[in-house]
Every structure is written in C-alpha cells, then in structure tokens.
Amino acid sequence: MENPLQLKCLNHISIVCRSVEKSVDFYQNILGFFPVKRPGSFNFSGAWLFNYGIGIHLLQSDNPDSMPKIGGINPKNNHISFQCESMALLEKKLKELNIEYVKSGVEEGGIRVDQLFFHDPNGYMIELCNCDILPVTPLPVDSIQSSCSLTNRNVRRQRQQEQQVQLQVQKIEHVVWRN
C-alpha cells in the first residue's frame, strides 16, 4: 500500500479541557499515562502526557463553560480506543471508581470483541477493548468502491504492482523449475 505522506505512526492527540488538572488526574490515574515535559514557549495552559506509544496533549479551554455538555455514552460517537488485556478486570475497576460506562461488543466469524465505553472529564469518549483478537483483513482490490478517482488510481497502481510481483515470482519459478 502506498504511503504518500511517509507517515510512521500516531504521535499524539490533543484534547481541549474544562480543567487541565482534572484531566491530568484522569489520564494519569485511570488510564496510566505519565506527565512529560511540555515546551515552555507555549503561552497557554496545558499538559503533555505519554504512554502506550502515543501522547495526549491537554489544552485548557479559554471558556470552559461554553464547551458542549457531556451527553450520554454512545459507542457510535468519536472516541479513542485502547487495547486491553483483561476486560473483566477493567469492568471491575470502572465499577470501583464509580465511572459510568456502557458495555458493547461485536462478533465476526465466531470471534467476539468486548468493548467498554466511558467519558473522560471533558466528555471525550474512551473505549477499552480486546480488539486484537479480531484479525485485520485487507479487503480484496475488487471490493473497494470505485466512486473516487484517487481510489481508482491507487487501485490501478496496486494492481500493477501485484502483477509485477506475480511476473517476478513466475520468472523465478520458471528458472528454478528448469534447473
């Protein structure tokens, strides 16, 4: 697959906060992030945290009272998802901490993925899941929708690359077979 922007990985997410202090407490004590040095040249309040290979940048809202009210927990809303080891342990811990959550799940091919959804102090949704048990299966090239010209171009380029690889394999097999 092509990587036109030469991306390497997710670096951080930024979250506008009602209270940076409450958010630091949540991300540090509930989700296990740890504070890291933040550049001193910023002229606004915030905090940086890190763990699991990603950063969380907390930014103090200029007007916390104008931030959207925290609504109900809806697994179909935007969220950050963290892969977890023991869903039972997580659920027990959320209950102990009196954190309201919604249980959900998805099943595919006899594999069940369990999910827990809850809000951070700012209303951003967090998902905890055992999603790694569900295989990541690339879609066949033919199943990709062809409505976008960029997609069509990428599909054609991918097919050409696949054909070139197949030709190389056939040449190698032919040479090996002859010898």
Side-chain angles (χ1 to χ4, degrees), residues 53-103:
I54 61 167
I56 303 275
H57 293 185
L58 303 173
L59 314 170
Q60 178 61 53
S61 172
D62 291 334
N63 190 354
D65 295 329
S66 70
M67 289 181 65
K69 293 184 182 199
I70 299 174
I73 300 170
N74 180 354
K76 292 187 278 182
N77 279 346
N78 296 330
H79 58 272
I80 307 165
S81 180
F82 293 96
Q83 179 62 45
C84 303
E85 293 182 31
S86 171
M87 296 302 292
L89 181 66
L90 290 170
E91 187 171 8
K92 180 181 176 202
K93 187 69 174 172
L94 291 175
K95 284 179 182 177
E96 287 173 8
L97 295 168
N98 292 318
I99 294 177
E100 181 184 352
Y101 64 91
V102 168
K103 276 178 89 165

Side-chain angles (χ1 to χ4, degrees), residues 15-147:
I15 298 174
V16 177
C17 302
R18 288 178 168 79
S19 165
V20 168
E21 293 77 19
K22 287 181 182 178
S23 297
V24 166
D25 180 62
F26 174 86
Y27 281 94
Q28 187 172 354
N29 296 316
I30 305 297
L31 295 182
F33 282 80
F34 56 90
V36 295
K37 185 172 177 7
R38 181 175 177 257
S41 60
F42 286 132
N43 62 356
F44 55 91
S45 180
W48 284 11
L49 299 110
F50 186 83
N51 205 351
Y52 319 112
I54 61 167
I56 303 275
H57 293 185
L58 303 173
L59 314 170
Q60 178 61 53
S61 172
D62 291 334
N63 190 354
D65 295 329
S66 70
M67 289 181 65
K69 293 184 182 199
I70 299 174
I73 300 170
N74 180 354
K76 292 187 278 182
N77 279 346
N78 296 330
H79 58 272
I80 307 165
S81 180
F82 293 96
Q83 179 62 45
C84 303
E85 293 182 31
S86 171
M87 296 302 292
L89 181 66
L90 290 170
E91 187 171 8
K92 180 181 176 202
K93 187 69 174 172
L94 291 175
K95 284 179 182 177
E96 287 173 8
L97 295 168
N98 292 318
I99 294 177
E100 181 184 352
Y101 64 91
V102 168
K103 276 178 89 165
S104 189
V106 64
E107 191 169 328
E108 177 68 25
I111 299 170
R112 177 164 172 82
V113 171
D114 296 309
Q115 303 162 295
L116 297 173
F117 292 89
F118 56 98
H119 288 132
D120 80 351
N122 308 291
Y124 295 104
M125 192 154 29
I126 308 293
E127 173 190 5
L128 304 177
C129 69
N130 60 346
C131 298
D132 65 339
I133 63 173
L134 191 64
V136 176
T137 307
L139 292 174
V141 174
D142 294 341
S143 71
I144 298 173
Q145 292 182 358
S146 59
S147 62

